[in-house]
Amino acid sequence: METPLTHADTSQAPPPPPAANTQLPIPPLLALKLVLAALFWGGTFIAGKVLAQSIPLMTAAFGRFLIASALLVWISYKIERGLPRLNRQQTLGTALLGLTGIFLYNIFFFGALSHIPAGRTALFVSLSPITTALAAALFMGERLGTKRWIGIVTALFGAAIVITRGDLAGTVHDIGQSVGLGEILMTCAVIAWTVYTLISRKVLTSLSPIAATTYSTLWGTLFLGIGAIGQLDSLDAASFTWQVWVSIFYLGAFGTVAAFVWYYQGIRAVGPSRTIIFNNLVPVFGVLLSALLLGEPILMSMLLGGAISVAGVLLVNSK
């Protein structure tokens, strides 16, 4: 799943809504956009699965973010009248964002999709808010209250049910039967996204979400492009099916850019804490779309574990 950056310096982005507005109902059109954003992110697992089975993973990720970069630059000029010039600290910060959240995350993301079903991969998304909260507490001194700790434990228990396919006891005796390379790669993707999120908190004190996301995407595209050079010899674009081309365009235009713009509108209108709740729909859509479009089975352990994880995430994000 790709979640956009959510905080910005008030001199470069619209100010957060007044506190009183957080109690107002979310406008229906905005709610629809946020649901669609979650739907688009859920669809990235299906499109990613198509690419993971068809072309080298580095090339797949490069194609996705080449499209996203072009669209984000256009949006930057349309909404914010261009991109700001970066100082040395901002350059380093956005480069680290591109390395962790774009380059490493997508290598692990596509790698995981080449080994395990898309629906199972999507359920790992529910771990991101949990690992981020834990990392913030460990490395940034943020305090976690009792309710948030209960939410973390609950979400991790739900994730364990999904990962072990409901056989927690059996996994203790033979971890290889439930945890393979695909699960390890997706766990690494979650860790990469957690690091990306923590770094973004520093970067976004001086850059708007659009500027930071555009620069990090440009950096990530550069890193992916360097890696994709070595795969050119094995690449035959003439053999690409229409599903491959549609998947690349979908990932770049809808799964990255459109979802981000609508998510940003939500942050601007009702604040990040209310907007991020819609992220809990991402694994739900991922599992459902995997079943409908790829014919993947929906296991009872996925439903039960996913529901428990979502409940834990909601508890962590509640006030």
Side-chain angles (χ1 to χ4, degrees):
M1 178 201 77
E2 328 310 325
T3 304
L5 308 175
T6 57
H7 300 81
D9 178 65
T10 54
S11 65
Q12 299 191 46
N21 287 348
T22 60
Q23 303 304 318
L24 297 176
I26 297 178
L29 180 58
L30 178 60
L32 175 61
K33 288 181 177 179
L34 293 175
V35 170
L36 287 175
L39 174 63
F40 289 159
W41 279 323
T44 61
F45 294 92
I46 286 75
K49 186 70 174 181
V50 172
L51 295 184
Q53 295 175 334
S54 306
I55 60 178
L57 65 91
M58 198 80 72
T59 303
F62 174 71
R64 170 187 184 173
F65 284 96
L66 184 63
I67 293 173
S69 294
L71 292 174
L72 281 169
V73 169
W74 175 75
I75 289 172
S76 297
Y77 277 86
K78 185 175 179 61
I79 296 179
E80 298 187 346
R81 292 180 291 184
L83 291 167
R85 179 173 295 181
L86 302 182
N87 57 35
R88 182 178 300 178
Q89 185 177 24
Q90 291 169 331
T91 299
L92 177 60
T94 53
L96 288 174
L97 290 178
L99 177 64
T100 56
I102 307 299
F103 180 72
L104 290 177
Y105 176 86
N106 279 273
I107 289 176
F108 295 137
F109 171 75
F110 283 105
L113 283 170
S114 66
H115 289 87
I116 57 177
R120 183 169 169 81
T121 306
L123 288 169
F124 276 76
V125 172
S126 60
L127 285 175
S128 295
I130 304 305
T131 55
T132 301
L134 284 172
L138 290 173
F139 302 110
M140 303 183 70
E142 292 193 5
R143 300 185 62 182
L144 297 175
T146 302
K147 184 164 62 173
R148 298 187 73 187
W149 275 115
I150 294 174
I152 287 173
V153 173
T154 301
L156 291 176
F157 177 68
I161 293 176
V162 172
I163 294 171
T164 64
R165 297 178 175 86
D167 187 11
L168 294 171
T171 300
V172 173
H173 297 288
D174 183 12
I175 193 170
Q177 70 178 5
S178 297
V179 181
L181 181 58
E183 286 80 7
I184 293 173
L185 288 172
M186 199 56 202
T187 300
C188 290
V190 170
I191 294 172
W193 190 260
T194 298
V195 175
Y196 168 82
T197 302
L198 295 181
I199 296 173
S200 73
R201 296 187 181 187
K202 176 64 175 178
V203 173
L204 289 170
T205 59
S206 60
L207 290 175
S208 73
I210 289 180
T213 303
T214 301
Y215 274 119
S216 64
T217 299
L218 289 171
W219 276 112
T221 304
L222 174 62
F223 297 146
L224 290 168
I226 294 173
I229 291 175
Q231 299 177 340
L232 291 179
D233 293 340
S234 61
L235 195 65
D236 181 14
S239 66
F240 284 12
T241 64
W242 67 266
Q243 292 96 331
V244 169
W245 288 114
V246 168
S247 296
I248 292 175
F249 180 79
Y250 173 86
L251 285 169
F254 293 93
T256 303
V257 177
F260 163 73
V261 172
W262 288 343
Y263 195 83
Y264 179 54
Q265 290 176 354
I267 293 168
R268 181 172 57 187
V270 299
S273 62
R274 298 181 71 192
T275 302
I276 201 171
I277 297 299
F278 286 84
N279 286 8
N280 296 307
L281 294 174
V282 175
V284 176
F285 283 130
V287 170
L288 292 178
L289 289 173
S290 298
L292 291 174
L293 300 179
L294 300 179
E296 294 181 358
I298 299 179
L299 305 177
M300 183 58 64
S301 60
M302 294 169 62
L303 296 176
L304 177 61
I308 293 174
S309 290
V310 169
V313 171
L314 288 173
L315 195 57
V316 170
N317 290 325
S318 65
K319 294 183 179 179

